Amino acid sequence: MIALDQILPSLYHLQRQGRIGAIAVCASTYETVRTLADAESLHRAFPGQSFRMYPASLGQGRQPELYREAIAQLPPRQIVVVAVPDQLHHDVIVAALAADQHVCAVKPLVLAHRQAVEIAQESRRRGLLVAVEYHKRFDDRSLMARRAYREGRFGEFRLGTACLLEKWYYRNSNFQNWMTSENSDAFTYIGCHYVDLVHFITGLLPRSVSVYGIPDRFPNGREGYLWTDARVIWSNGACLNVQNALGFPDAAPGTNTQGLTMYCQGATDGALISHSDQYRGLKYCYSGPASYAEPSPDYFQYVDLGGPGLVPVGYGYRSIEAIVAAAIRVNAEGPGVLEEIDRAGIIATAANSSYNEAVIEAGRESILNGGREVVIA
Ligand SMILES: NC(=O)c1ccc[n+]([C@@H]2O[C@H](COP(=O)([O-])OP(=O)(O)OC[C@H]3O[C@@H](n4cnc5c(N)ncnc54)[C@H](O)[C@@H]3O)[C@@H](O)[C@H]2O)c1
């Protein structure tokens, strides 16, 4: 999903501009890469562009270790984009670093804090970038809030509430094969975005987590925590509540519902940050079935700027562009740049965002223990 909807088109656009060279995509089956290669949206936007496929042909069955071969084919200091299910990120990242490759991992980087620390150490030792693709950071509204908060214009964050509920129909997708109780849950999968964003805006760090999850069944009968309610306590005592689910009605407008409200305290008054991240002010009614929509012009859209093809726009594209540009910069200017990237804190890296793994790890422990509070050391 994320490869088709955001990552590959962003890379194709960078390739079209001459900023990157050849692209290869590896999945565990030929059918998966073939379907991606044949996607109509990609052909329409990027006529004549293609990628090298792993596996290259039918009849070889599932090849879950083929990514090792794909990585081994690369010259050193290219970039490996890790967009496999959450629980597989770690092995692919470690293999990429061992082969001297920069890494762009979709969130969450890994599922254990210790692994994030080890990855950060290894990336520094080798002078490589390991970036985590938290694209909400590149939404201008996040950058506006961060700047104003850090200028003191909102005072101090006190109470917050965030939600991100995906549509019910997500249950029918490949999620049912991996987003199951033993691997993940709705908070781990999508709640981490808002935990990351609160840190991104405020600079605060999470101190304890409790996650209450309701077990439910995917259509294939497997169990998942498909409804979650999390409470995160921050280093200044502030409290953020995050609700997540694969349960937003299919008939409701938009592709999901999501947003963040932060109630803050000034010297003598209250202050407020309130983002509707789903409703971006557009109401469309197409002709035909499923006619009403509230599309987001801000995350990822294709626009026609005169061709050939279409141009991807939005913070989904800008996020990938920023990470690829940072890796190119490290190659050009040397590994000293890594310290600057970590300190700037705009791109999430293994070194500057491992609080996210601490929250996920604590959240998993909490949800598996009925929602009890887990303190982050
Ligand atoms: N908003 C976001 O930042 C965002 C949104 C969606 C997904 N994601 C993340 O992206 C990752 C993938 O999610 P998705 O929604 O695209 O899921 P998906 O199930 O659509 O895609 C996962 C892909 O990984 C492939 N795969 C599985 N095992 C493999 C292996 N051993 N070798 C090679 N390929 C393998 C599968 O074939 C599948 O194509 C997850 O970590 C998810 O959390 C992030």
Side-chain angles (χ1 to χ4, degrees):
M1 183 182 83
I2 196 83
L4 172 65
D5 290 354
Q6 181 196 341
I7 295 171
L8 183 56
S10 298
L11 294 175
Y12 268 161
H13 189 53
L14 291 167
Q15 186 181 52
R16 175 157 64 191
Q17 297 169 72
R19 296 166 71 183
I20 61 171
I23 299 169
V25 180
C26 176
S28 51
T29 68
Y30 174 73
E31 288 81 351
T32 305
V33 271
R34 183 78 259 168
T35 305
L36 186 63
D38 291 344
E40 212 267 307
S41 61
L42 295 178
H43 286 295
R44 168 83 186 83
F46 306 99
Q49 288 179 249
S50 60
F51 58 83
R52 180 172 176 182
M53 288 193 277
Y54 292 89
S57 59
L58 251 183
Q60 293 158 27
R62 276 199 86 240
Q63 297 189 71
E65 298 288 315
L66 186 62
Y67 70 86
R68 296 183 190 279
E69 198 179 301
I71 291 172
Q73 296 296 319
L74 296 172
R77 304 185 78 79
Q78 309 301 301
I79 189 162
V80 171
V81 181
V82 181
V84 289
D86 298 357
Q87 71 279 12
L88 303 180
H89 292 187
H90 175 259
D91 289 358
V92 185
I93 294 167
V94 168
L97 284 175
D100 261 328
Q101 304 300 333
H102 300 289
V103 173
C104 166
V106 292
K107 61 81 214 162
L109 177 68
V110 282
L111 297 175
H113 181 254
R114 178 185 47 78
Q115 293 174 339
V117 172
E118 285 166 8
I119 288 169
Q121 285 167 350
E122 185 63 3
S123 67
R124 268 307 172 83
R125 200 177 68 76
R126 291 175 173 271
L128 294 164
L129 176 74
V130 175
V132 198
E133 205 278 307
Y134 281 103
H135 45 247
K136 283 185 187 299
R137 291 176 170 220
F138 289 85
D139 189 344
D140 285 342
R141 62 180 62 189
S142 307
L143 289 155
M144 286 169 64
R146 173 183 163 95
R147 183 165 164 228
Y149 188 94
R150 287 166 187 240
E151 287 172 355
R153 295 179 63 194
F154 295 112
E156 178 109 9
F157 171 47
R158 291 295 185 209
L159 293 177
T161 180
C163 72
L164 204 171
L165 286 83
E166 300 285 13
K167 286 260 167 102
W168 179 273
Y169 69 74
Y170 268 51
R171 294 163 178 240
N172 298 312
S173 75
N174 192 36
F175 283 99
Q176 58 187 320
N177 296 318
W178 65 271
M179 213 197 90
T180 45
S181 303
E182 69 280 14
N183 291 325
S184 191
D185 54 76
F187 175 68
T188 298
Y189 175 60
I190 35 183
C192 57
H193 277 296
Y194 283 107
V195 175
D196 184 69
L197 214 47
V198 166
H199 167 83
F200 184 69
I201 292 169
T202 64
L204 297 168
L205 287 167
R207 286 289 175 247
S208 76
V209 183
S210 52
V211 185
Y212 172 68
I214 303 176
D216 199 350
R217 295 267 166 207
F218 281 106
N220 66 359
R222 297 180 73 176
E223 188 192 88
Y225 289 108
L226 304 187
W227 311 85
T228 58
D229 184 284
R231 168 193 265 209
V232 181
I233 307 296
W234 296 81
S235 43
N236 68 342
C239 176
L240 173 75
N241 141 270
V242 190
Q243 294 191 328
N244 300 109
L246 304 190
F248 190 53
D250 290 345
T255 48
N256 53 40
T257 185
Q258 55 175 312
L260 170 69
T261 303
M262 296 169 67
Y263 300 97
C264 304
Q265 183 169 7
T268 55
D269 55 5
L272 169 73
I273 300 170
S274 180
H275 292 174
S276 163
D277 287 341
Q278 173 255 313
Y279 181 56
R280 303 281 178 142
L282 275 66
K283 294 181 181 182
Y284 281 10
C285 197
Y286 305 107
S287 95
S291 55
Y292 183 75
E294 293 177 355
S296 165
D298 298 333
Y299 166 52
F300 191 98
Q301 292 290 340
Y302 290 113
V303 295
D304 184 353
L305 293 180
L310 302 170
V311 175
V313 292
Y315 61 85
Y317 168 70
R318 293 197 297 275
S319 169
I320 299 288
E321 180 191 38
I323 291 169
V324 170
I328 291 171
R329 209 181 140 211
V330 175
N331 282 359
E333 297 176 32
V337 174
L338 291 170
E339 175 70 30
E340 185 190 322
I341 294 170
D342 285 342
R343 220 172 333 103
I346 301 298
I347 292 176
T349 65
N352 72 16
S353 74
S354 66
Y355 56 85
N356 282 315
E357 281 65 50
V359 169
I360 285 170
E361 202 175 337
R364 291 296 298 161
E365 186 181 335
S366 175
I367 201 168
L368 295 171
N369 288 281
R372 80 167 162 77
E373 183 176 17
V374 176
V375 173
I376 294 172

